Amino acid sequence: FDFLLLSYKFFIDNFYYFFHSSPFFCVIIISEEVITLKMDIECIRDILLQAEEKSFMASRRYNPTPEDKEDDDKNFPYIAKYESEKLFYHVNLADELGLIKVNRMLGGTVVNDLSAQGHLFLADIREENVWNKTKEISKQVGASSLDTVKQIAVNVISSLVSGYFQK
């Protein structure tokens, strides 16, 4: 055998340990579990709202005490409702989508600020009436990709502006 590959499960940001000894190559990936998440555009919006207000750190394994949870609710009102795994996943997704600026650290990801694209997107979806109408239309058409949600939000705003001038 030229290669020996041990079976493994993959999840974003798991720890990878590689051992190389020619002619054998061995990969061992340590993972407690495999978690599958779908993009939650509401969570992305809440991350953007929170990042605009105050930087924060997202970690896969954050288990707050009741006192920490109370502080989180007060200091991070937009994101405190999310489980750490879901928040961590969506922070990394928002980073990949170019919506936020982050620093990766051992143990988590620090969200420092919004990117220019993040500011533009949040400007379109900040207002609750625009956001609710955008979600409603997105659900009706059965599309919830970031590009689609952006397009719907812009059209909702255009419709509101047109209605304002027709009065």
Side-chain angles (χ1 to χ4, degrees):
F1 294 97
D2 287 334
F3 294 95
L4 173 64
L5 180 62
L6 299 178
S7 65
Y8 63 91
K9 294 181 180 181
F10 174 80
F11 181 76
I12 196 166
D13 285 351
N14 280 340
F15 296 98
Y16 294 76
Y17 296 95
F18 297 93
F19 173 79
H20 182 269
S21 173
S22 190
F24 297 102
F25 179 69
C26 178
V27 178
I28 301 172
I29 298 182
I30 299 173
S31 175
E32 293 179 17
E33 58 188 291
V34 174
I35 297 172
T36 305
L37 293 172
K38 294 181 181 180
M39 184 178 80
D40 178 346
I41 197 69
E42 187 82 39
C43 185
I44 298 280
R45 178 179 182 257
D46 288 338
I47 288 168
L48 299 180
L49 288 165
Q50 188 62 63
E52 183 181 53
E53 190 173 294
K54 180 190 279 191
S55 64
F56 63 93
M57 181 171 179
S59 173
R60 276 188 75 200
R61 301 285 181 224
Y62 177 60
N63 296 311
T65 64
E67 295 82 21
D68 290 340
K69 182 71 175 134
E70 189 175 308
D71 287 344
D72 288 350
D73 290 344
K74 183 174 57 174
N75 293 321
F76 306 105
Y78 297 106
I79 60 170
K81 61 188 165 197
Y82 297 105
E83 295 292 323
S84 62
E85 297 264 350
K86 183 173 185 170
L87 183 62
F88 183 75
Y89 175 84
H90 283 85
V91 162
N92 287 304
L93 185 58
D95 178 38
E96 288 177 23
L97 292 168
L99 299 174
I100 56 177
K101 297 177 184 178
V102 302
N103 286 331
R104 298 196 188 288
M105 304 174 67
L106 184 61
T109 302
V110 176
V111 178
N112 295 314
D113 198 2
L114 300 178
S115 67
Q117 289 301 312
H119 280 289
L120 292 172
F121 181 50
L122 185 56
D124 287 340
I125 62 170
R126 176 187 322 281
E127 295 302 319
E128 287 297 324
N129 62 333
V130 171
W131 179 240
N132 290 333
K133 188 68 173 169
T134 299
K135 289 190 306 183
E136 178 186 323
I137 293 169
S138 174
K139 187 175 181 179
Q140 287 175 358
V141 298
S144 60
S145 73
L146 183 68
D147 289 338
T148 302
V149 171
K150 284 181 187 178
Q151 184 178 0
I152 293 169
V154 167
N155 287 324
V156 167
I157 293 167
S158 295
S159 176
L160 290 171
V161 169
S162 293
Y164 178 79
F165 287 113
Q166 291 177 359
K167 290 182 180 180

